[in-house]
Amino acid sequence: MSSLPGPGPTGAAGAADPYSPGQVPRVLAGREVELGRVRDRLGRVASFGELAGPLLVFHAPRGLGKTSLLRASEREAEALGFASAWLACSRERPFLAELAHSVDRALEAVDLAPEQRRSWRDRMRGLSLEVGVLGVSVGGEVTGDAADDGDHDVAAQAPIGALQDLLGEAARAVRARGGAGLVVYIDELHAASADDMSTLLNAVQNLDGARADTPLTVVTAGLPVTPEAIVRAATFGERSAFVPLDVLSPADARHLLAGPAADLGVAWSSDALDLVLEHCGGHPYLLQLLGSSTWTSRRPVGGDVLDIDDVSAGLPGAEQQLRAMYAARWAVATGLEQSFIVAMAAAGTGNITRAAIAREMGVDSRAISVPRDRLIDKGIIEPVGHGLVRFTMPGFDRWVRDRDSQ
Ligand SMILES: Nc1ncnc2c1ncn2[C@@H]1O[C@H](COP(=O)(O)OP(=O)(O)O)[C@@H](O)[C@H]1O
Ligand SMILES: [Mg+2]
């Protein structure tokens, strides 16, 4: 890419590493279908000035590229004249107040007249208070129609109404200034509390009831538990558009490696690409990690070709980083969960049956539901249908077996 530094003047230092393990990539490989899903919505908002709902939810284990996808889509949206608000949920921070602030920041980028700005700020303060005070005890499924029977519902309705107003007014303000509309990105949605999730779903659902004048869309991402958490928060949440992210295809994985190098005039031999793919499958984080370790082992300059010796020389560095990540996953598991992990690793690589895990643990297969569910929540394992589970990070099973045999 044109903004990257070129090869060093002496050649000894080589060109700067263009890979980005753990950061948003310079070149987003693949994901055309998924970007297309967001583009469809942006198109509807831009063309009709109306809400493009329901919630769009990308879900996948860590490292598969959810945040990278949302960021790439955000760049596209801004180029199309959208204002974008960005929020990453966390169990520690109040969701609705954070959302209000990110919408406020999005409006800063839109050139509101000073008096509009002042009146928006006043409204914001009011809404933040409302949301901050009442946002603590919303429960169950509350729709616009169920508003007025009993104190609880009235209290519960307030943050929904406040959020509805906030999103609707912000979206209209963007449009009034000649923008296309507002797009709200919510990352790590699985970390939102059930109350906050319910408020968000209800607000978007209510806005959908009068979508004509609401130039808005909401795009989210979270761990594989997210769809379940959404449906638990509000049954109508099942109408959200759920899109799983899978590993990259071999062609996209090759592009992830070759694309950023080609921008610096550096090529990969096809053997070297094959070797990296053999180690990483299509896992984007691992590909970035091995791309980076290969690059730094060679420090190539324009015209060089990375080969299998460079990949091999970089492997120890990458493995060291991986071991640290495996150890971090192990450390967040409780004793019972660790027993489950050990049993699952002992049962083999790939998709493992519940029965095999229970057998290894020496218990009845009904007894393992709790650690299984918690490990899914933590993003360490994921269900793959028919009672099968697998580790979300390739190589973790081998690390656990090695650790266990020491
Ligand atoms: N499509 C992609 N093309 C290139 N790199 C990617 C892609 N998807 C993810 N990555 C890389 O993989 C790593 C993890 O991506 P991230 O978006 O943080 O995943 P998630 O949010 O699902 O945990 C990052 O280093 C990022 O650069
Ligand atoms: Mg992420």
Side-chain angles (χ1 to χ4, degrees), residues 216-238:
L216 170 77
T217 193
V218 184
V219 180
T220 72
L223 291 176
V225 291
T226 313
E228 201 184 308
I230 286 175
V231 176
R232 222 183 296 133
T235 49
F236 65 79
E238 73 196 7

Side-chain angles (χ1 to χ4, degrees), residues 93-349:
R93 289 193 306 268
F95 171 78
L96 292 171
E98 290 270 315
L99 182 55
H101 284 297
S102 66
V103 170
D104 188 41
R105 278 196 302 275
L107 285 187
E108 251 164 37
V110 181
D111 194 19
L112 291 184
E115 61 282 7
Q116 279 177 303
R117 174 106 281 209
R118 257 193 310 279
S119 89
W120 169 255
R121 282 278 152 126
D122 289 345
R123 292 270 306 134
M124 270 287 302
R125 258 192 295 280
L127 288 171
S128 297
L129 270 181
E130 221 172 320
V131 160
V133 175
L134 295 169
V136 284
S137 65
V138 194
E141 184 171 342
V142 187
T143 66
D145 302 327
D148 38 89
D149 51 342
D151 286 342
H152 173 78
D153 281 352
V154 173
Q157 196 59 18
I160 295 169
L163 184 58
Q164 217 174 304
D165 289 352
L166 171 83
L167 294 176
E169 285 185 25
R172 281 187 289 276
V174 174
R175 191 91 176 173
R177 296 300 298 165
L182 175 69
V183 49
V184 178
Y185 291 98
I186 307 180
D187 201 3
E188 309 274 338
L189 184 61
H190 58 270
S193 71
D195 286 349
D196 289 340
M197 195 89 94
S198 160
T199 304
L200 173 70
L201 289 164
N202 277 284
V204 173
Q205 155 110 340
N206 291 350
L207 284 168
D208 198 41
R211 71 168 168 269
D213 195 22
T214 313
L216 170 77
T217 193
V218 184
V219 180
T220 72
L223 291 176
V225 291
T226 313
E228 201 184 308
I230 286 175
V231 176
R232 222 183 296 133
T235 49
F236 65 79
E238 73 196 7
R239 279 175 253 146
S240 307
F242 297 115
V243 183
L245 279 193
D246 205 346
V247 293
L248 297 175
S249 70
D252 291 338
R254 284 194 175 81
H255 180 60
L256 182 153
L257 294 163
D263 288 336
L264 297 174
V266 173
W268 283 74
S269 77
S270 74
D271 289 359
L273 289 177
D274 288 347
L275 184 58
V276 173
L277 261 65
E278 213 174 279
H279 278 280
C280 304
H283 194 280
Y285 174 80
L286 294 182
L287 289 162
Q288 291 282 353
L289 184 63
L290 246 70
S292 175
S293 67
T294 303
W295 188 276
T296 48
S297 79
R298 170 76 177 267
R299 302 199 173 280
V301 296
D304 282 349
V305 179
L306 296 169
D307 58 28
I308 40 178
D309 290 342
D310 301 324
V311 177
S312 303
L315 271 175
E319 276 167 0
Q320 198 180 356
Q321 167 68 18
L322 280 177
R323 278 196 296 275
M325 293 176 71
Y326 296 146
R329 288 183 177 219
W330 176 258
V332 298
T334 63
L336 178 60
E337 289 159 12
Q338 289 177 350
S339 312
F340 184 104
I341 290 172
V342 168
M344 183 167 152
T349 294

Side-chain angles (χ1 to χ4, degrees), residues 20-25 27-29 31 61-68 248 256 284-285 288:
S20 54
Q23 285 177 298
V24 173
V27 178
L28 187 83
R31 305 300 189 214
R62 279 188 209 297
L64 283 200
K66 300 178 294 296
T67 303
S68 303
L248 297 175
L256 182 153
Y285 174 80
Q288 291 282 353

